[in-house]
Amino acid sequence: GDSVTQMEGPVTLSEEAFLTINCTYTATGYPSLFWYVQYPGEGLQLLLKATKADDKGSNKGFEATYRKETTSFHLEKGSVQVSDSAVYFCALAGGSGAQKLVFGQGTRLTINP
Amino acid sequence: DVKVTQSSRYLVKRTGEKVFLECVQDMDHENMFWYRQDPGLGLRLIYFSYDVKMKEKGDIPEGYSVSREKKERFSLILESASTNQTSMYLCASSLWGELTGNTIYFGEGSWLTVV
């Protein structure tokens, strides 16, 4: 079945550092890919998405490019802030035609001032 | 804005109790979902529903059941709660057929502790 693998956390960085959180996937068909963010004490919010190969999703300074050849969707940000501290989830949908999201295990990010 | 509301944010229940987690969405979405979130495991799908009275098992349905009598409401039921069901439960909804080009909307989650 479809699956998503994220780099293990937790990840701790200093403010203004460059961030990469790796995400790879296995899916049949042509899935859409998503990054969700969960701030402390809150539910999940969509951060960005890409629906076809070579699409780049971007939001709040974060970006990720849908790479079909490497089955990856790595999340990047050039300069992180303390307010970016959260848990980040990579997810896919539609790979097997199912109307549901398949999530990675999540990566906890802590940014120190 | 789409709103997905989970009725209880924090619950503490005893082993063997019957537990109801309620979820309501206000955007006339066909699809509704229940996930549980555990550290290191991400979100795992328990059940989903694509229409009233319709349901399908997700990846971890054991120990759970669901009810969807009205389009806007999707209930998760733990028939006999056990300590290994202590977790964060997230409800979500989406339009039918829109998932690949649209989004799922999540509630804020219900923290359930079974003692």
Side-chain angles (χ1 to χ4, degrees), chain A residues 32 38 41 46 49 99 101, chain B residues 9 33 35 37 97 100-101 103:
Chain A
S32 291
Q38 185 179 38
L46 178 68
K49 65 180 181 183
Q99 294 277 315
L101 280 170
Chain B
R9 289 298 308 274
F33 308 82
Y35 286 87
Q37 180 182 354
T100 55
T103 61

Side-chain angles (χ1 to χ4, degrees), chain B residues 5-7 25 27 33 35 42 53-54 58 69 77-78 83 86 88-89 95 99:
Chain B
T5 304
Q6 295 182 231
S7 56
Q25 50 94 2
M27 281 301 289
F33 308 82
Y35 286 87
K53 297 191 187 294
M54 304 302 289
E69 297 296 319
I77 303 156
L78 287 67
T83 54
T86 291
M88 159 86 124
Y89 291 86
L95 289 168
L99 198 54

Side-chain angles (χ1 to χ4, degrees), chain A residues 32-103:
Chain A
S32 291
L33 301 173
F34 305 82
W35 278 101
Y36 279 83
V37 59
Q38 185 179 38
Y39 297 105
E42 298 183 13
L44 270 69
Q45 303 173 26
L46 178 68
L47 180 60
L48 54 83
K49 65 180 181 183
T51 57
K52 60 183 188 299
D54 300 324
D55 268 2
K56 178 184 282 189
S58 60
N59 187 25
K60 300 182 180 181
F62 290 90
E63 57 183 36
T65 302
Y66 188 164
R67 301 284 189 202
K68 195 170 190 300
E69 64 276 12
T70 54
T71 62
S72 65
F73 192 55
H74 305 320
L75 183 68
E76 296 182 336
K77 186 175 185 182
S79 177
V80 292
Q81 306 300 313
V82 172
S83 57
D84 294 327
S85 298
V87 182
Y88 292 82
F89 292 93
C90 185
L92 68 80
S96 301
Q99 294 277 315
K100 60 181 182 179
L101 280 170
V102 175
F103 286 88

Side-chain angles (χ1 to χ4, degrees), chain B residues 58-101:
Chain B
D59 300 316
I60 52 163
E62 296 78 18
Y64 303 94
S65 62
V66 290
S67 172
R68 190 149 181 218
E69 297 296 319
K70 294 184 178 181
K71 191 175 185 180
E72 67 271 19
R73 187 180 297 271
F74 192 37
S75 303
L76 180 69
I77 303 156
L78 287 67
E79 295 288 341
S80 178
S82 63
T83 54
N84 64 11
Q85 292 178 310
T86 291
S87 187
M88 159 86 124
Y89 291 86
L90 285 163
C91 176
S93 73
S94 71
L95 289 168
W96 169 259
E98 293 282 334
L99 198 54
T100 55

